[in-house]
Amino acid sequence: VMMANGRVYTMGRNTVGALGVSESLTTCDSSHKCEFFPRQVPNLPTNIVEISTGEGHSIARSSDGAVLSTGDNSFNQLGMESCGSGTTTCFGFLAVPLLQGIRIKHVTAGSNWALALQEILEPPSFDPPGGTYAKMGVRVVHAEKAATMRYVLELYGVLAGAPNASSPPYTSAVQLSRSPVTYSLAAHVECALCGMARSAPTRAMYSIV
């Protein structure tokens, strides 16, 4: 149960740590350990926005894209090799090491698996948009100020290929001054500091008259 103040409470079967609390002492259903009353989950930030559970494990996501998991790790479904004690059972949420610094937008879990979807940047746009103009410069525009935009420019109507790590970064207006000619401009945005994957490229054609 996620409360408005950011606290998370849990109850039910906790034999392998799926509740995210320390090992339960009460026996239920003959051989299992359970929590019969709501118990606050420690080691979780107060900005948890999503929790999903599997057969014996749970995975949580915070509003800033961090991912934590707890419970049975027999199939590495927690996203880590061990809980630090060398066991396959984690009693308490731990940050998933391989996802630290990556902005995750959704998590879900099944019987013995978990899935995390990385947030991808929206493609940049061009100002002005593609069309017919006189001598001009085109700005590559994106809302994420920390992002790096890279572009590819092709002449004579050749469709510009996708930018890559060696493509020039956009720093000022891309000048389209040769006329009459058709330019093809492609750009993407990347932001390692934001923890988000590179956007898909966006393209536009410019006819300079």
Side-chain angles (χ1 to χ4, degrees):
V1 180
M2 289 187 290
M3 310 297 289
N5 61 8
R7 294 176 180 172
V8 177
Y9 290 84
T10 188
M11 67 200 85
R13 184 181 295 178
N14 194 41
T15 308
V16 291
L19 300 186
V21 296
S22 58
E23 192 168 356
S24 302
L25 302 178
T26 305
T27 301
C28 64
D29 195 18
S30 70
S31 61
H32 293 284
K33 300 293 185 179
C34 294
E35 294 291 335
F36 286 106
F37 303 100
R39 183 175 170 188
Q40 185 178 347
V41 181
N43 303 327
L44 277 180
T46 57
N47 61 339
I48 294 297
V49 294
E50 187 177 30
I51 297 177
S52 185
T53 61
E55 186 174 319
H57 66 292
S58 301
I59 185 168
R61 178 181 65 88
S62 66
S63 59
D64 56 3
V67 178
L68 305 95
S69 58
T70 183
D72 179 32
N73 196 38
S74 300
F75 299 93
N76 283 20
Q77 60 266 49
L78 299 186
M80 59 189 81
E81 292 184 6
S82 72
C83 306
S85 59
T87 68
T88 59
T89 304
C90 296
F91 285 92
F93 278 95
L94 297 172
V96 178
L98 291 178
L99 296 180
Q100 289 183 324
I102 298 176
R103 192 178 179 93
I104 300 298
K105 69 174 183 177
H106 176 62
V107 293
T108 188
S111 58
N112 294 305
W113 55 268
L115 175 71
L117 297 180
Q118 184 178 5
E119 186 167 346
I120 297 175
L121 289 160
E122 291 294 323
S125 58
F126 302 123
D127 180 25
T132 301
Y133 302 91
K135 182 185 299 185
M136 57 171 291
V138 177
R139 295 176 59 239
V140 185
V141 182
H142 196 272
E144 181 56 63
K145 301 303 182 185
T148 298
M149 292 172 282
R150 296 184 182 277
Y151 71 93
V152 174
L153 186 65
E154 299 286 357
L155 289 172
Y156 308 114
V158 177
L159 186 64
N164 54 46
S166 62
S167 300
Y170 168 82
T171 55
S172 59
V174 180
Q175 296 299 320
L176 308 180
S177 57
R178 194 170 174 177
S179 61
V181 72
T182 299
Y183 291 88
S184 175
L185 180 62
H188 74 207
V189 61
E190 54 194 41
C191 192
L193 293 177
C194 310
M196 289 186 278
R198 176 187 302 167
S199 77
T202 186
R203 293 181 172 87
M205 301 289 285
Y206 293 87
S207 295
I208 308 302
V209 295

